[in-house]
Amino acid sequence: MAFKLFLLLEKLLMILPKSVRKSFFSGLGSIAYHISSRYRNISFINLNFIFGDTISQKEKEEITKYSFKNLLFNFMHLMELRKMSKEDLLKKITVSNLDVVNQVNAQNRTIIYVTPHYSAWEFGGASIGLVDKPLNAVFRKLKNGIYQDWMLSSRGVFGNKSLEKTNVLKPLIKLIRNKESVALVIDSSMNQREGVEINFLGKVTRQTATPAYLARKYNAAIIPVTIRTDDDENYTLMFFDEIKVAKTDNEKEDILNATQAQADWLSKLITNEPKFWFWIHRRWKSEHPHIYNK
């Protein structure tokens, strides 16, 4: 029953003009900021942990408010993708540094895209599949299976496919051998059994080593990619230069160095424009749990 009501709301919102729909979700984001003390405090904890007093409390509040609003905008984008044509989406997107993608494709190498929860990530994933090959993107299973199906169908409207994170390595290997593009999110929290220990935003934490492992073993190219906006209407899809993975006699060190390079790229991206990152999750809960127990 609840999902049917949600679909009814979706239908109503998609009938309304874009400006009204955008105002609705912006308002929801503002309400969520004020009533969700738990996630508001998580954002402040993260920002204090990373930036300390180098940015003001007012800046931290503005970043946190935008994180709530941006989460709701990404939810709105999932709705909009279901009604968009490829041409509609591409009109919103300016592409930066596509040459790096073309160069790798000319070499007949598979691309492993690494990306964060940053700005309009739902539009970002959809648009990558339009300017290059369709993506096979890894996702973390949701508790609500009905909403998950709805979300994945939105992400797949232009041919992208989704792979659940559990036991995903063998399917990824098969895709890479078949020269199909894959995408992995690299900014999610990980437990002590996952990933490798790296320095992210000046703090020790863990990050998935899967992109580096696969790139090294199968001569694939790691290309960082993200998206940003100045007005929440027009977007720039930004491809970055390939992160090379060495192939020496020390496989462990090669993988660690390439994983750290990904963390360095993301750290610089977030430091330059912190408001776009998704601050309302406990990124450092495994290595620094004490900061969330205050």
Side-chain angles (χ1 to χ4, degrees):
M1 182 64 180
F3 187 67
K4 288 182 179 179
L5 291 174
F6 164 74
L7 293 178
L8 183 62
L9 175 63
E10 177 189 15
K11 186 175 182 179
L12 174 63
L13 288 169
M14 292 308 299
I15 292 172
L16 295 172
K18 171 63 182 287
S19 58
V20 176
R21 188 165 59 248
K22 185 177 176 181
S23 295
F24 173 80
F25 281 104
S26 180
L28 278 185
S30 180
I31 292 170
Y33 169 82
H34 288 290
I35 68 174
S36 182
S37 59
R38 177 188 176 189
Y39 290 101
R40 185 175 66 241
N41 288 336
I42 286 173
S43 179
F44 289 145
I45 288 168
N46 286 334
L47 289 163
N48 286 329
F49 187 54
I50 298 305
F51 294 110
D53 295 329
T54 60
I55 63 175
S56 68
Q57 182 61 26
K58 183 178 179 181
E59 288 176 287
K60 292 170 186 174
E61 289 172 2
E62 291 303 313
I63 291 169
T64 301
K65 288 177 182 177
Y66 190 82
S67 283
F68 277 94
K69 184 177 79 169
N70 192 53
L71 177 61
L72 270 296
F73 279 175
N74 273 280
F75 190 80
M76 176 182 71
H77 296 160
L78 285 171
M79 289 185 176
E80 293 176 342
L81 283 168
R82 301 167 76 83
K83 303 296 183 181
M84 276 186 182
S85 67
K86 296 178 180 180
E87 292 73 24
D88 290 335
L89 180 56
L90 289 174
K91 285 178 183 176
K92 294 176 173 290
I93 305 295
T94 299
V95 182
S96 170
N97 201 27
L98 185 60
D99 284 349
V100 69
V101 174
N102 294 334
Q103 289 169 8
V104 173
N105 285 332
Q107 297 166 2
N108 196 31
R109 297 166 64 209
T110 303
I111 296 177
I112 300 172
Y113 290 108
V114 293
T115 190
H117 292 94
Y118 190 85
S119 190
W121 60 78
E122 297 295 350
F123 276 170
S127 57
I128 293 169
L130 294 183
V131 300
D132 188 28
K133 304 172 186 176
L135 287 178
N136 297 273
V138 177
F139 74 97
R140 183 174 289 182
K141 186 177 181 179
L142 302 181
K143 293 180 180 179
N144 188 321
I146 297 176
Y147 170 69
Q148 176 177 290
D149 290 343
W150 177 87
M151 177 188 74
L152 296 182
S153 67
S154 296
R155 290 178 175 176
V157 291
F158 301 134
N160 287 351
K161 296 179 181 178
S162 298
L163 304 170
E164 204 275 309
K165 182 181 175 183
T166 307
N167 299 320
V168 77
L169 189 59
K170 285 185 178 180
L172 284 176
I173 290 172
K174 183 177 180 180
L175 290 166
I176 288 171
R177 283 176 167 169
N178 289 338
K179 306 298 182 185
E180 296 189 45
S181 297
V182 301
L184 294 98
V185 173
I186 61 170
D187 63 342
S188 299
S189 61
M190 311 197 80
N191 61 42
Q192 295 290 340
R193 300 186 303 275
E194 297 177 308
V196 293
E197 194 172 272
I198 47 86
N199 185 298
F200 173 54
L201 286 170
K203 307 296 181 182
V204 173
T205 188
R206 288 186 175 273
Q207 182 172 300
T208 178
T210 301
Y213 166 78
L214 292 173
R216 184 182 185 278
K217 187 171 181 64
Y218 298 102
N219 191 33
I222 297 174
I223 295 182
V225 59
T226 192
I227 194 168
R228 68 172 305 284
T229 181
D230 288 317
D231 57 8
D232 294 303
E233 289 288 345
N234 303 285
Y235 304 86
T236 301
L237 181 66
M238 302 183 294
F239 295 101
F240 292 79
D241 291 344
E242 177 185 351
I243 291 177
K244 304 281 188 179
V245 186
K247 200 164 186 178
T248 70
D249 293 335
N250 192 332
E251 178 185 16
K252 184 177 180 180
E253 184 174 319
D254 294 344
I255 291 171
L256 176 61
N257 289 341
T259 305
Q260 182 61 62
Q262 295 165 56
D264 291 343
W265 162 77
L266 184 53
S267 294
K268 183 178 179 181
L269 185 77
I270 294 170
T271 302
N272 287 344
E273 291 189 293
K275 81 168 189 175
F276 288 125
W277 194 52
F278 187 58
W279 290 95
I280 51 179
H281 75 299
R282 296 183 299 161
R283 175 63 180 88
W284 291 273
K285 66 181 180 181
S286 293
E287 288 72 29
H288 307 278
H290 64 281
I291 69 173
Y292 301 108
N293 296 329
K294 295 180 181 178

